[in-house]
Structure formats: structure tokens, C-alpha cells
Amino acid sequence: DLSPYLEYSKMLTQRLYLQAGLRYQTTVVHYRDLLNAQNDYTVPNRGLYPNLLLQYMLNPAKASGIGVAYRHFFSLPNYGYYSPVATYLTKNLYSIGNQRLKQETFDEAEVNYFLNRDWQFTYRVRYGRNIIQIMTYKDESAPDLYYTQPSNVGSRWSHYASGTFNKSLFPFWRTNNILYLRYDQEQMPGRSVQSFSVGGTSTHQFTITKMVGLSVAFSGETARQQLGYTLGGRYELDLGCYASLLHDQLQLSLSLSNLLHSRDRITMRMGDTTEQLRIDLSPRRRLALTISYAFSAGDQVKPVRTESAATLSLERPVL
């Protein structure tokens, strides 16, 4: 892998901020079969991937503003999709990899509107091309023999809209809530699917004393349908507590994740009349204790404030 990049950022005016970048990515996969040299292969993937972010403050006093972002990015094929070794599923059907696979590429644009410090609205659209789907072909070497193989034959549209509310309702209670709607559309030769889902998160932090507090977080999403399978609806409830000691130098945090949670359910379609249901029964509850201690090394360590802007992967751009 080789991935050099350039990035430029500047406050063009007192209210307008620009960030632009360009990344060159090259990834070359080498496979060597020491038992059969005919299975050796080399797969290169290369491309240029730009990104752009503009943020304009409409009203600095109210923290009101708008941000527009764009990025072009990629996703490499699963390593197993390249396998040159045939795996028989039945006597008339086998699966085999494809060394001609290309990377999936995506274009994503996003608009963020900040009404004030409490409310934020987001719309994001993403288009993916060369999406890998498993196709079935007839093997011409024998009658009644078929094989499955991954191919870059699909495309995907995704629309996402959300509203975020972040506020201190009382001196002891701070809340952050996100409600989102998403619409996905996938296509491949002979098939297409559309899916609409609703989801959100709700996080609440309660201050008991100046040094001790509690947190409660809930998240959930309705079922989502994709080509080949359906993801079942999900929900999670997390609890936590924290303490700040020794004049805020010692931080303690105890979290219990997935105290209440749904089972991961995937319904896979095996042809026109057969479905396979997979349920993850492994326990998902996790207990984590985090301890951090902050100290100063004297005048040799000086705090430095850096200016930065959010990328598309962050929910709270810097204004």
C-alpha cells in the first residue's frame, strides 16, 4: 500500500473556511501458491481521491452556519473474493474467486445546517459504482454445472437525513439526540431492491456532584433490506458512571455496554424460494473500566491550540 496525500486549509474570510485535499492510493495484492504456480496472481488498484469542505458562518453569535462537503473514496474487495481455488457447494455448483475484480468507488456529498448551538440538520447522498455482487454462471466445460463468482456488476444509491438536538436541559442534565431517516437502493443485472429505515441515538449525562456523574445511552434502527440479505432491526442500551478526582487529574469511568440489546439477525435469500436465517447468539454485554491520569512536566510542555474542521465521518464540524 502507498497513500501520499496533500491537504490545504484556510480561513478565506472571517466567516468562510475552506479545506481541500487530494489522496493518491495504490494497493497491489500478490498471491503465491507454492504448490501450484498456475494459481499465482497479482492485482493492482490505483486512483486519485479528492475531498472538499466549505463552512460559512451565517450568525457567529448564535453559532448558526452551513457546511458543504464532498469526497471521492474507495473500498477494496474482500481478500477471499480473489481465491483461485474452486469450492464445491453441491455436485452441480461450485464457487470461485475473480482476480479481475476492481475496487468499489463512491462519491459522497453532504450539507450541514446549524440552526444554533442546539440544533443541526444533515442531508447526505452517496453513489457507489462497481459494487461487488455474487453472480451465477454456467460452466461450459460440463452440462448441468454452474459456478458462482463475485463481479463488479452492481450500483448503490444511499440518501440520509438527520436532525440533531444537543442541549443542557438543566444544570445537572445534558442530552444529545439524533433521529435519522435513510433510503437505500441497490441494483444488479436482473434485480433491484429499495429499503427505507428509521433510526436514532439518545444519550443523557447526569451530574450527581461536581466530581461524579451517570450516563445513559440508547440507540436503535429498523430493519434494512439489501441485495441478497436483510438486516434485522436492532437496539442497544448502555449505562455508565464517571468520577473526577485529584483536582481533575484522575479520571475514572465505568461503562456497561449493551445492558439490553437485540440479537443480530440476518436473513439470506438462497434462490427464489429458500431463505436462511442467521442469529448471533454470542453475549454482547461488555464491562469496561477506564483510568486516566493527567500530569504536567513543567514549563517544557505548553498547551497548543490547533484549528481543525470536521470531515464527513464526524457529526460535529468545528465552526
Side-chain angles (χ1 to χ4, degrees):
D1 293 294
L2 179 65
S3 183
Y5 70 93
L6 296 172
E7 189 171 86
Y8 174 80
S9 60
K10 184 177 179 61
M11 290 296 301
L12 301 180
T13 66
Q14 291 185 344
R15 297 190 179 190
L16 182 62
Y17 178 81
L18 167 69
Q19 184 185 69
L22 181 64
R23 178 184 299 273
Y24 172 74
Q25 175 75 29
T26 176
T27 300
V28 183
V29 177
H30 298 284
Y31 178 85
R32 298 291 179 263
D33 190 334
L34 300 181
L35 299 179
N36 185 357
Q38 292 183 351
N39 289 334
D40 295 354
Y41 64 84
T42 298
V43 180
N45 281 288
R46 299 181 176 89
L48 287 171
Y49 302 96
N51 64 278
L52 178 67
L53 172 67
L54 280 172
Q55 291 183 341
Y56 181 75
M57 294 295 295
L58 300 172
N59 189 329
K62 294 183 178 180
S64 175
I66 188 170
V68 179
Y70 165 80
R71 66 169 177 161
H72 181 62
F73 62 102
F74 68 96
S75 176
L76 292 174
N78 187 303
Y79 177 76
Y81 283 166
Y82 292 130
S83 175
V85 180
T87 301
Y88 274 81
L89 307 175
T90 69
K91 64 178 182 179
N92 297 323
L93 178 66
Y94 66 92
S95 64
I96 192 169
N98 183 0
Q99 294 83 51
R100 298 183 301 277
L101 283 179
K102 297 180 293 184
Q103 58 197 10
E104 301 172 335
T105 56
F106 299 88
D107 291 281
E108 185 173 84
E110 179 176 301
V111 177
N112 284 284
Y113 173 59
F114 306 89
L115 180 63
N116 49 43
R117 291 180 175 85
D118 302 332
W119 287 96
Q120 173 189 340
F121 300 93
T122 299
Y123 172 71
R124 182 185 309 130
V125 59
R126 176 187 296 181
Y127 174 69
R129 60 180 63 84
N130 292 326
I131 303 301
I132 297 173
Q133 300 290 350
I134 305 299
M135 301 290 291
T136 302
Y137 303 96
K138 180 175 176 54
D139 192 330
E140 301 297 338
S141 64
D144 299 327
L145 183 60
Y146 298 85
Y147 65 94
T148 62
Q149 188 176 52
S151 302
N152 296 102
V153 296
S155 62
R156 180 183 301 154
W157 280 98
S158 178
H159 300 266
Y160 172 93
S162 69
T164 301
F165 176 67
N166 181 23
K167 188 177 180 62
S168 291
L169 301 178
F170 299 98
F172 63 90
W173 181 9
R174 183 168 188 84
T175 180
N176 184 289
N177 303 274
I178 302 174
L179 178 65
Y180 63 84
L181 309 174
R182 60 182 301 163
Y183 173 77
D184 298 305
Q185 181 181 13
E186 285 189 292
Q187 293 179 330
M188 63 181 291
R191 290 190 59 194
S192 65
V193 65
Q194 295 84 34
S195 177
F196 179 80
S197 58
V198 181
T201 62
S202 182
T203 304
H204 306 269
Q205 182 173 312
F206 302 94
T207 301
I208 299 177
T209 68
K210 185 178 180 180
M211 298 181 296
V212 179
L214 298 175
S215 62
V216 180
F218 175 81
S219 63
E221 186 179 28
T222 58
R224 293 171 52 195
Q225 185 177 359
Q226 296 184 342
L227 282 173
Y229 63 93
T230 299
L231 298 174
R234 61 170 183 84
Y235 65 88
E236 299 91 20
L237 176 66
D238 304 334
L239 296 179
C241 60
Y242 61 91
S244 179
L245 307 174
L246 303 179
H247 303 287
D248 294 332
Q249 286 185 292
L250 179 63
Q251 305 288 335
L252 304 177
S253 174
L254 181 65
S255 63
L256 178 58
S257 301
N258 297 314
L259 176 63
L260 299 176
H261 64 85
S262 58
R263 297 292 187 185
D264 289 339
R265 301 168 63 95
I266 299 178
T267 304
M268 304 181 65
R269 286 173 290 279
M270 317 293 289
D272 296 332
T273 60
T274 305
E275 291 186 347
Q276 182 183 75
L277 175 62
R278 294 183 177 180
I279 303 177
D280 186 355
L281 299 178
S282 60
R284 294 178 54 194
R285 293 185 182 91
R286 300 188 305 274
L287 183 65
L289 174 64
T290 303
I291 303 175
S292 62
Y293 181 75
F295 61 92
S296 173
D299 295 337
Q300 294 179 352
V301 178
K302 297 181 179 179
V304 178
R305 183 178 183 273
T306 60
E307 297 291 341
S308 62
T311 63
L312 286 169
S313 61
L314 299 180
E315 292 289 348
R316 294 178 297 174
V318 175
L319 290 174

